[in-house]
Amino acid sequence: MKLKNFVSGQWTEGRGAGAALTDPVTGEELARASTDGVDYKAALEHARRAGGPALRKMSFAERAALIGKVADVLGVNKDKYYALALANSGNTKGDAAIDIEGGYGTLKYYSSIGKRLGDAKYLRDGGFEQFSKDDAFQAVHIRVPLEGVAVHINAFNFPSWGLWEKVAVAFLSGMPVLAKPATATALLSHAMVEDVVKAGVVPEGALSLVCGSAGDLLDHLDRRDAVAFTGSAETAAKLRSHPNVIKNSIRFNAEADSLNSSLLGPDAKADSPEFALFVREVHREMTIKAGQKCTAIRRAFVPRALADAAGDALAAAIAKTVVGNPRNETVRMGPIVDKAQQKNVLDALAALKREAKVVTGEGAFKPVDADPAKSAFVAPTLLRCDAPAEAKAVHEIEVFGPVSTLMPYDSPEQAFALAGRGGGSLVASVFTADDAFARAAVLGLGASHGRVMVIDDAVGKLQTGHGIVMPMCVHGGPGRAGGGEELGGLRGLRFYHQRLAVQGNKARMAALAAGAAEVGV
Ligand code: NAP
């Protein structure tokens, strides 16, 4: 099967053999994807000409209803999506739920908060500005939707969530989307978009999909468009420095890779609840989606006196994790997405091993119900680095798999500085019952992180997860993590709007402001 591309309102097949999409458990080829011959210039023009005006004509409440309808279409086809996530990504049911329910839930959330913006079609930003004693001449700031295309380039690990979390915000803003999922796992994105298109719930030109290489897509963007990219820091750097992106000052949001941290507070003891919660979270983050989450805990910092206890507890949890073919119901951790990515993980792991010793993960490893020669598994591996201040690779190399490094710290200030050595990260979690440490950690980690989660026993059961991106919270991080920001409820709309100051007659400014939705962020 060759996955078709949905551009200019039509499903078209790319030329040539295309790239193979495989089952990472059996190695079997599932489909091929090619964009060869896709006319990106025409696809963008179609979206700008047909999709944009159709969406901008709608009020926020109408766009919210549209987003709700997209979610409903996905809701009735979920079983099919779970099967595809298993086949093409090797997802366990729990892994697939994060991706599929995450995408569905984010659409539902934006449908719900969008409804509250009512009949407005643009946003107000702040209050009125007065220039002199006579207030007859004033200014107000508003945000209007961009008139181009939201180009979404996504990573392989979230073919559903990555697609819909971006579509939800762009649609609510009134922008048409051209989505390019990562080729390796495009099967699920393709099936979902196919269902939505078939259901006829989105206006002509509002949603386009390409499965395969981006080709010359970026050459045809102009100042009206915006690119939201998720993927590696290396690709982000390449795309944001594309000559056309620079020449036309095209908006570019990057969600890139990240060496996220988790910190156990100095108040913890081996038998305190926060210790157990920390161990559970690090283990969970190592094994969910086989560690293929941008937010996964790559570095776990503990007070030096607890390093042995934490290593033992994590090793015991890892030993109980059944790794193998997710079709077997006892399996808790699946494979890496494909053979190429498995090699990347093993190469990166080898680099870390020059600085850190293996606590667990080496030796004979046989995945359940899978042939190691054909499949793409990596054993969950815990490393330990006792001199993290002198180490380099553990802070700089993202192993995009089930690998985490345990490191002792000697003072809170040192722990925050070590977390910052990741060069800017998406998230840090802090496990403590001490208010003073919690506050110091938030302030000490804040400038180098997009999100900090503070966990104590009281919220141990309620917490949403270190690595789970909630649509009401901003997602993104400085530096290495891409320097971008998305989601965060209505804050996410900013990226797809142009803010302008409007100056004029007081009464006119008041009327203009009265027609806007006030987002208050
Ligand atoms: P990647 O290799 O950087 O690819 C990301 C996307 O960029 C894919 O759709 C890819 O298409 C596309 N791409 C690659 N080269 C391109 C080019 N020259 N022009 C236009 N598009 C191009 O990343 P990945 O391997 O898919 O994903 C893993 C990485 O993503 C990890 O580092 C992870 O940390 C990061 N990630 C970050 C977040 C976040 O929210 N911050 C979320 C998930 C993943 P092809 O697939 O066709 O090559």
Side-chain angles (χ1 to χ4, degrees):
M1 171 171 90
K2 177 103 67 77
L3 299 182
K4 289 190 173 157
N5 306 290
F6 187 63
V7 286
S8 301
Q10 289 184 4
W11 288 101
T12 54
E13 194 170 297
R15 289 191 298 243
L21 282 69
T22 56
D23 178 329
V25 175
T26 63
E28 181 199 344
E29 183 174 308
L30 301 169
R32 292 201 151 246
S34 165
T35 56
D36 196 6
V38 166
D39 185 342
Y40 279 112
K41 186 167 188 281
L44 291 165
E45 271 165 13
H46 179 75
R48 287 187 204 113
R49 203 179 46 241
L55 288 167
R56 290 197 301 277
K57 199 169 72 188
M58 299 164 92
S59 66
F60 283 114
E62 287 167 337
R63 293 176 208 153
L66 160 68
I67 295 165
K69 282 187 201 151
V70 172
D72 291 341
V73 173
L74 302 180
V76 295
N77 290 297
K78 276 188 193 168
D79 289 349
K80 176 172 71 181
Y81 305 147
Y82 274 83
L84 291 173
L86 196 167
N88 190 199
S89 296
N91 280 181
T92 64
K93 197 155 186 213
D95 296 341
I98 298 173
D99 191 22
I100 294 165
E101 308 297 340
Y104 173 82
T106 304
L107 285 165
K108 282 280 181 196
Y109 169 78
Y110 272 94
S111 174
S112 149
I113 62 167
K115 202 167 142 191
R116 284 185 243 139
L117 300 181
D119 294 336
K121 295 179 181 168
Y122 58 95
L123 303 168
R124 171 177 156 185
D125 185 310
F128 297 94
E129 308 296 342
Q130 199 172 316
F131 301 103
S132 66
K133 265 199 195 138
D134 183 344
D135 69 355
F137 180 66
Q138 291 200 351
V140 67
H141 290 80
I142 62 166
R143 292 177 192 265
V144 296
L146 301 184
E147 294 179 345
V149 184
V151 171
H152 295 165
I153 300 177
N154 288 319
F156 73 79
N157 54 342
F158 284 110
S160 165
W161 174 78
L163 172 67
W164 300 116
E165 58 104 11
K166 289 191 177 74
V167 168
V169 185
F171 273 9
L172 187 57
S173 301
M175 278 194 90
V177 170
L178 187 149
K180 193 211 110 42
T183 306
T185 57
L187 204 52
L188 177 56
S189 316
H190 181 272
M192 290 175 140
V193 170
E194 193 176 40
D195 288 338
V196 170
V197 170
K198 234 189 249 166
V201 294
V202 291
E204 168 85 20
L207 184 59
S208 309
L209 176 84
V210 290
C211 301
S213 155
D216 62 358
L217 169 62
L218 295 194
D219 293 339
H220 303 296
L221 301 180
D222 67 33
R223 54 109 190 140
R224 295 167 291 179
D225 305 316
V227 179
F229 168 83
T230 300
S232 63
E234 199 184 331
T235 312
K238 202 192 304 175
L239 302 194
R240 67 153 42 105
S241 57
H242 185 285
N244 189 40
V245 171
I246 293 174
K247 182 173 154 229
N248 283 305
S249 308
I250 292 163
R251 287 185 190 205
F252 190 89
N253 190 75
E255 297 296 331
D257 56 33
S258 172
L259 281 106
N260 313 292
S261 316
S262 191
L263 277 71
L264 180 62
D267 54 306
K269 308 269 178 293
D271 60 356
S272 57
E274 287 74 21
F275 179 93
L277 290 166
F278 168 84
V279 168
R280 190 181 74 174
E281 201 65 16
V282 174
H283 171 250
R284 197 154 61 174
E285 287 293 316
M286 285 177 72
T287 53
I288 295 177
K289 285 176 91 51
Q292 299 167 102
K293 264 176 33 275
C294 54
T295 47
I297 298 170
R298 307 290 174 206
R299 300 174 299 149
F301 296 103
V302 295
R304 193 169 288 277
L306 286 177
D308 289 346
D312 292 348
L314 280 165
I318 290 167
K320 284 196 212 130
T321 308
V322 183
V323 182
N325 186 340
R327 292 166 185 91
N328 181 315
E329 287 197 349
T330 64
V331 163
R332 290 290 164 269
M333 190 187 106
I336 298 300
V337 76
D338 58 23
K339 280 278 183 197
Q341 199 57 24
Q342 180 195 36
K343 183 177 180 312
N344 286 346
V345 171
L346 293 174
D347 288 350
L349 177 56
L352 295 203
K353 281 191 201 164
R354 281 181 223 126
E355 285 184 354
K357 61 181 190 237
V358 177
V359 177
T360 180
E362 257 179 347
F365 167 66
K366 166 80 182 83
V368 172
D369 289 351
D371 176 353
K374 292 185 181 154
S375 57
F377 288 90
V378 170
T381 305
L382 181 71
L383 303 174
R384 177 163 163 179
C385 172
D386 281 327
E390 282 90 70
K392 196 167 146 54
V394 291
H395 304 296
E396 293 178 6
I397 298 176
E398 182 202 43
V399 185
F400 206 60
V403 178
S404 195
T405 306
L406 181 67
M407 293 178 251
Y409 68 82
D410 299 305
S411 69
E413 295 67 33
Q414 188 198 35
F416 309 149
L418 288 170
R421 292 271 308 275
S425 304
L426 295 169
V427 53
S429 51
V430 181
F431 291 79
T432 182
D434 178 341
D435 289 342
F437 178 72
R439 187 181 154 78
V442 170
L443 299 179
L445 298 168
S448 53
H449 289 80
R451 177 163 63 90
V452 176
M453 187 176 84
V454 186
I455 302 301
D456 60 14
D457 193 26
V459 295
K461 286 205 177 78
L462 278 179
Q463 62 115 338
T464 47
H466 165 106
I468 301 295
V469 175
M470 301 305 289
M472 46 295 276
C473 294
V474 291
H475 173 58
R480 165 89 188 240
E485 190 180 279
E486 56 184 18
L487 297 172
L490 296 173
R491 294 172 187 86
L493 302 187
R494 276 190 268 186
F495 182 65
Y496 298 109
H497 283 78
Q498 173 65 33
R499 175 167 57 189
L500 64 151
V502 190
Q503 297 168 295
N505 174 310
K506 180 182 174 183
R508 284 213 180 97
M509 294 306 100
L512 185 70
E518 171 69 72
V519 293
V521 288

